[in-house]
Coordinates of all heavy atoms in Angstrom, one line a residue:
N400 N -9.9 15.0 26.8 CA -9.0 14.3 27.8 C -8.9 15.2 29.0 O -8.9 16.4 28.9 CB -7.5 14.2 27.1 CG -7.4 13.1 26.1 OD1 -8.1 12.2 26.3 ND2 -6.9 13.4 25.0
A401 N -8.6 14.4 30.1 CA -8.4 15.2 31.4 C -7.2 14.4 32.0 O -7.0 13.2 32.1 CB -9.6 15.0 32.4
E402 N -6.3 15.2 32.8 CA -5.1 14.7 33.3 C -4.8 15.4 34.7 O -5.1 16.6 35.0 CB -3.9 15.0 32.6 CG -3.9 14.3 31.2 CD -2.7 14.6 30.5 OE1 -1.6 14.2 30.7 OE2 -2.7 15.4 29.5
L403 N -4.5 14.6 35.7 CA -3.9 15.0 36.9 C -2.4 14.7 36.8 O -1.9 13.6 36.7 CB -4.5 14.3 38.1 CG -6.0 14.4 38.4 CD1 -6.5 13.6 39.5 CD2 -6.3 15.9 38.6
V404 N -1.6 15.8 37.1 CA -0.1 15.8 36.7 C 0.7 16.2 37.8 O 0.4 17.3 38.4 CB 0.2 16.4 35.4 CG1 1.6 16.4 35.1 CG2 -0.6 16.0 34.2
R405 N 1.8 15.5 38.2 CA 2.9 16.2 39.1 C 4.2 16.1 38.2 O 4.5 15.0 37.7 CB 3.0 15.5 40.2 CG 4.2 15.8 41.1 CD 4.3 15.2 42.5 NE 3.2 15.9 43.3 CZ 2.8 15.6 44.5 NH1 3.6 14.6 45.1 NH2 1.8 16.3 45.2
E406 N 4.7 17.3 37.9 CA 6.0 17.3 37.1 C 7.0 18.2 37.7 O 6.7 19.0 38.5 CB 5.6 17.7 35.7 CG 5.0 19.3 35.7 CD 4.6 19.7 34.4 OE1 4.2 18.8 33.5 OE2 4.7 21.0 34.1
R413 N 5.6 21.2 39.9 CA 4.3 21.8 39.8 C 3.1 20.7 39.8 O 3.4 19.5 39.3 CB 4.0 22.4 38.4 CG 4.9 23.7 38.2 CD 4.7 24.3 37.0 NE 5.3 23.5 35.8 CZ 6.7 23.3 35.5 NH1 7.5 24.1 36.2 NH2 7.0 22.4 34.6
D414 N 1.9 21.0 40.5 CA 0.9 19.9 40.4 C -0.1 20.8 39.5 O -0.6 21.9 39.8 CB 0.2 19.8 41.7 CG 1.1 19.0 42.6 OD1 1.7 18.0 42.1 OD2 1.3 19.3 43.8
L415 N -0.6 20.0 38.6 CA -1.4 20.6 37.4 C -2.7 19.7 37.1 O -2.7 18.4 37.3 CB -0.8 20.7 36.1 CG 0.6 21.7 36.1 CD1 1.2 21.6 34.7 CD2 0.1 23.1 36.4
Q416 N -3.7 20.3 36.8 CA -4.9 19.6 36.3 C -5.1 20.1 34.8 O -5.2 21.4 34.5 CB -6.2 19.9 37.0 CG -6.1 19.3 38.4 CD -5.6 20.4 39.3 OE1 -6.0 21.5 39.5 NE2 -4.5 20.0 40.1
I417 N -5.1 19.2 33.9 CA -5.2 19.7 32.5 C -6.5 19.1 31.8 O -6.7 17.9 31.8 CB -3.9 19.1 31.6 CG1 -2.6 19.5 32.4 CG2 -3.9 19.7 30.3 CD1 -1.4 18.9 31.7
F418 N -7.2 20.0 31.1 CA -8.3 19.7 30.4 C -8.2 20.1 28.9 O -7.8 21.2 28.6 CB -9.6 20.3 31.0 CG -10.9 20.0 30.2 CD1 -11.6 18.7 30.4 CD2 -11.4 20.9 29.3 CE1 -12.7 18.4 29.8 CE2 -12.5 20.5 28.5 CZ -13.1 19.2 28.8
S419 N -8.4 19.0 28.0 CA -8.2 19.4 26.6 C -9.3 18.8 25.8 O -9.9 17.8 26.1 CB -7.0 18.5 26.2 OG -5.7 18.9 26.9
P447 N -6.7 22.3 21.7 CA -6.7 23.4 22.7 C -6.8 22.8 24.1 O -7.4 21.8 24.4 CB -7.9 24.0 22.4 CG -8.4 23.5 20.9 CD -7.8 22.2 20.9
S448 N -6.0 23.4 25.1 CA -5.9 22.9 26.5 C -5.9 24.0 27.4 O -5.6 25.2 27.1 CB -4.6 22.1 26.6 OG -4.6 21.0 25.7
Y449 N -6.3 23.6 28.7 CA -6.3 24.6 29.8 C -5.8 23.9 30.9 O -6.1 22.9 31.3 CB -7.7 25.3 30.0 CG -7.7 26.5 30.7 CD1 -7.8 27.8 30.1 CD2 -7.7 26.5 32.1 CE1 -7.8 29.0 30.8 CE2 -7.6 27.7 32.9 CZ -7.6 29.0 32.3 OH -7.5 30.1 33.0
T450 N -4.8 24.6 31.6 CA -4.2 24.1 32.8 C -4.8 24.7 34.0 O -5.0 26.0 34.1 CB -2.6 24.2 32.8 OG1 -2.3 25.5 32.7 CG2 -2.1 23.4 31.6
F451 N -5.0 24.0 35.1 CA -5.4 24.5 36.5 C -4.3 24.1 37.4 O -3.5 23.3 37.2 CB -6.8 24.0 36.9 CG -7.8 24.3 35.7 CD1 -8.2 23.3 34.8 CD2 -8.6 25.4 35.9 CE1 -9.1 23.6 33.8 CE2 -9.7 25.7 35.0 CZ -9.9 24.6 33.9
G452 N -4.4 24.6 38.7 CA -3.5 24.2 39.7 C -2.5 25.2 40.1 O -2.8 26.5 40.2
D453 N -1.2 24.8 40.1 CA -0.2 25.9 40.5 C -0.1 27.0 39.5 O 0.3 28.0 39.8 CB 1.2 25.2 40.6 CG 1.1 24.2 41.8 OD1 0.3 24.3 42.6 OD2 2.1 23.4 42.0
E454 N -0.4 26.6 38.3 CA -0.4 27.6 37.2 C -1.7 27.4 36.2 O -2.2 26.3 36.0 CB 0.7 27.4 36.2 CG 2.1 27.5 37.0 CD 3.4 27.4 36.1 OE1 3.1 27.1 35.1 OE2 4.4 27.6 36.7
S455 N -2.3 28.6 35.8 CA -3.4 28.5 35.0 C -3.0 29.2 33.5 O -2.6 30.3 33.5 CB -4.7 29.2 35.5 OG -4.9 28.6 36.7
N456 N -3.2 28.4 32.4 CA -2.7 28.8 31.1 C -3.6 28.1 30.0 O -3.6 26.9 30.0 CB -1.2 28.5 30.9 CG -0.3 29.5 31.8 OD1 -0.3 30.7 31.3 ND2 0.4 28.9 32.5
P457 N -4.2 29.0 29.1 CA -4.7 28.4 28.0 C -3.7 28.3 26.8 O -2.7 29.1 26.6 CB -5.8 29.3 27.6 CG -5.4 30.6 28.1 CD -4.5 30.3 29.3
Y458 N -3.7 27.4 26.0 CA -2.8 27.3 24.9 C -3.5 26.2 23.9 O -4.2 25.4 24.3 CB -1.4 26.7 25.3 CG -1.3 25.4 25.9 CD1 -1.2 24.3 25.3 CD2 -1.5 25.4 27.4 CE1 -1.0 22.9 25.9 CE2 -1.5 24.1 27.9 CZ -1.3 22.9 27.3 OH -1.2 21.7 27.8
D495 N 5.6 28.0 30.6 CA 4.3 27.8 31.1 C 3.5 26.6 30.6 O 2.4 26.2 31.0 CB 3.4 29.1 30.9 CG 4.0 30.2 31.7 OD1 4.6 30.0 32.7 OD2 3.9 31.4 31.2
P497 N 2.9 22.7 30.0 CA 3.3 21.4 30.7 C 4.4 20.6 29.9 O 4.4 20.8 28.7 CB 1.9 20.6 30.6 CG 1.0 21.7 30.6 CD 1.4 22.8 29.8

Side-chain angles (χ1 to χ4, degrees):
N400 286 320
E402 297 180 71
L403 296 177
V404 179
R405 172 167 292 178
E406 62 183 32
R413 294 176 294 277
D414 290 323
L415 302 174
Q416 298 88 51
I417 306 173
F418 180 79
S419 306
S448 301
Y449 197 93
T450 62
F451 305 88
D453 291 348
E454 297 177 3
S455 297
N456 288 293
Y458 60 93
D495 297 328

